[in-house]
Amino acid sequence: EKGGFPSFMDKEIHDQPKAVADTLRGRFGLDGRLQLSEMNIDESILKSVDKIVVIACGTAAYAGQVAKYAIEHWCRIPTEVELAHEFRYRDPVVTEKTLVVAISQSGETMDTVMAVRHAREQGAKVIAICNTFGSTIPRESDGVLYTHAGPEIAVASTKAFLSQVVACYLLGLYLAQLRGNKYNDEIQVILSELEAIPGKIEQILEGTKQQITDFAIRHKHEQSVLFLGRHVGYPVAMEGALKLKELAYIHAEGFAAGELKHGPIALIDEGQMVIIVVPSQRGRDSLHAKVLSNIQEVRARGANAVVIAEEGETGVEEFASEVFYVPETTTLLAPLLATVPLQVFAMELATAKDLDVDQPRNLAKSVTVE
Ligand code: BG6
């Protein structure tokens, strides 16, 4: 059942190393190449795809946002992400060369089901990324890539989210391999980075969980929390904010860090908590430097700056009131690690407020009405 944990959510957060490993398992042929056997769509069709549209709701839509960064980088295929309920009702441009990717843990979210039907009526091919074998969305799609997170009971999604992100990477790498573009050499490197992720999630849960719990208890009276991130850190920020709303009923918003100066900075005053997802210090220097200056900007206005950063990061301690370190990985894979402290924060803060973390008020695990 709960495996000795106080809640299903706590258990499912700890299931994440296995969920990621299981979603990666069995995806390789004897030649070492990626094989997505349930894909069921002709290779020639996949080669001629000229646009990808990811549709989903809630947390699954943030997995889609991460997919956009990865797929566009690896495959050079224009990729849009849209909330399924918006996509369905705005007459989107979808053709036979569009590949629609529908992400859903339950496979029963009616908004997403309707969007899948609409896409197929326009002649698009649809791939489902789904955690529930034989559910409506995979049944109504052309192909499927199952996430192997195991049953997720807590309403707020955790392990399903990480395995959706993994499935999106696999899809992107598979398309890159199939289309034989210049990122082919990167595929093996990224796959071995992916293999190392479960161990790194364990490190976070073993090394940082207590620090986050203590921090959450100290901040249980917080009224509003802002989350900032850039590049793949942006969907992580939005997911962190969603978790906090869902579980702790605290007003929370995720922003693209670059957008701060265009409006949200007006919200910052003395004591405002701002959680900032800092990109890797290696590699994309300009990105890192810009997020660091965002920390200084909010600090200068009195914010309580809380930072998620990679181990080895040297630039944040002097500005942050609290830093949660996560192990290093490549830029595009970082959401698999940076999200974990935010899940734990939301859960522990809700627990400190004596709320039901598995069954938050007004929410359902699977919303089967439009
Ligand atoms: C919501 C759930 O209503 O549906 C979220 O509360 C979830 O946690 C969203 O992310 C989408 O669900 P699914 O099953 O389509 O991934």
Side-chain angles (χ1 to χ4, degrees):
E1 267 247 349
K2 291 182 193 163
F5 291 97
S7 62
F8 282 107
M9 186 177 178
D10 209 341
K11 172 185 179 284
E12 287 160 8
I13 285 174
H14 286 82
D15 281 346
Q16 293 186 116
K18 183 170 186 310
V20 168
D22 288 351
T23 299
L24 286 171
R25 187 164 301 132
R27 308 290 190 184
F28 304 95
L30 290 174
D31 56 359
R33 282 166 69 85
L34 254 176
Q35 271 181 3
L36 301 180
S37 52
E38 311 140 314
M39 190 73 103
N40 211 22
I41 297 176
D42 239 41
E43 289 197 355
S44 63
I45 293 177
L46 292 175
K47 278 184 185 158
S48 66
V49 162
D50 65 4
K51 180 169 88 166
I52 294 176
V53 182
V54 184
I55 50 174
C57 302
T59 289
Y62 297 136
Q65 295 280 2
V66 176
K68 174 185 164 76
Y69 289 88
I71 295 175
E72 288 199 337
H73 179 68
W74 293 330
C75 309
R76 313 308 300 155
I77 306 171
T79 303
E80 297 169 9
V81 189
E82 193 157 7
L83 295 167
H85 34 92
E86 284 295 318
F87 172 84
R88 169 68 185 83
Y89 291 101
R90 69 164 183 90
D91 192 19
V93 180
V94 177
T95 71
E96 284 163 11
K97 290 193 165 184
T98 308
L99 178 65
V100 170
V101 180
I103 308 178
S104 174
Q105 187 286 129
S106 61
E108 302 296 348
T109 300
M110 191 49 70
D111 286 324
T112 312
V113 172
M114 296 308 284
V116 166
R117 288 182 187 157
H118 183 72
R120 292 195 76 198
E121 279 162 18
Q122 316 298 305
K125 292 288 179 207
V126 179
I127 294 174
I129 290 181
C130 186
N131 198 45
T132 311
F133 191 77
S135 56
T136 305
I137 291 169
R139 271 194 283 114
E140 295 206 14
S141 299
D142 295 281
V144 55
L145 223 167
Y146 280 110
T147 50
H148 296 288
E152 194 179 61
I153 310 293
V155 168
S157 182
T158 54
K159 63 176 180 173
F161 173 71
L162 289 201
S163 52
Q164 285 160 356
V165 172
V166 169
C168 289
Y169 293 143
L170 289 173
L171 177 63
L173 294 170
Y174 176 76
L175 291 173
Q177 174 185 280
L178 196 69
R179 295 160 70 106
N181 65 27
K182 65 175 178 155
Y183 288 104
N184 262 359
D185 295 346
E186 258 189 54
I187 294 179
Q188 287 310 321
V189 179
I190 292 159
L191 286 172
S192 52
E193 277 287 332
L194 270 171
E195 301 281 351
I197 293 288
K200 292 179 181 180
I201 298 172
E202 260 159 39
Q203 264 175 264
I204 300 171
L205 294 175
E206 279 160 23
T208 326
K209 196 176 178 222
Q210 194 57 49
Q211 182 198 355
I212 303 170
T213 305
D214 296 343
F215 177 78
I217 292 169
R218 291 203 303 279
H219 289 279
K220 69 174 187 174
H221 298 300
E222 220 58 56
Q223 299 283 313
S224 147
V225 179
L226 306 182
F227 292 74
L228 297 179
R230 198 166 175 130
H231 192 262
V232 287
Y234 173 34
V236 171
M238 291 192 289
E239 171 61 5
L242 179 62
K243 283 285 148 301
L244 199 62
K245 290 176 218 180
E246 286 181 308
L247 294 161
Y249 316 150
I250 292 175
H251 174 255
E253 273 193 79
F255 295 108
E259 195 64 8
L260 186 67
K261 57 187 174 299
H262 300 293
I265 199 161
L267 291 169
I268 311 288
D269 62 4
E270 201 59 38
Q272 170 69 52
M273 186 185 286
V274 184
I275 300 186
I276 303 124
V277 182
V278 174
S280 171
Q281 200 167 10
R282 302 162 299 140
R284 296 163 187 254
D285 285 342
S286 59
L287 212 65
H288 177 264
K290 289 204 166 77
V291 176
L292 243 57
S293 74
N294 291 141
I295 302 177
Q296 295 168 38
E297 281 155 18
V298 297
R299 257 305 275 260
R301 288 160 182 84
N304 173 14
V306 178
V307 168
I308 313 285
E310 274 194 355
E311 278 158 13
E313 164 70 59
T314 53
V316 297
E317 264 183 10
E318 57 179 304
F319 308 112
S321 60
E322 189 89 18
V323 185
F324 299 115
Y325 289 100
V326 296
E328 284 190 346
T329 187
T330 56
T331 300
L332 282 166
L333 304 190
L336 293 174
L337 302 176
T339 307
V340 178
L342 302 181
Q343 298 168 336
V344 174
F345 175 61
M347 176 179 72
E348 295 297 349
L349 205 148
T351 306
K353 288 176 80 167
D354 248 341
L355 300 171
D356 182 344
V357 296
D358 288 336
Q359 289 285 344
R361 69 184 179 201
N362 307 340
L363 296 177
K365 182 68 185 156
S366 162
V367 182
T368 53
V369 291
E370 264 193 283

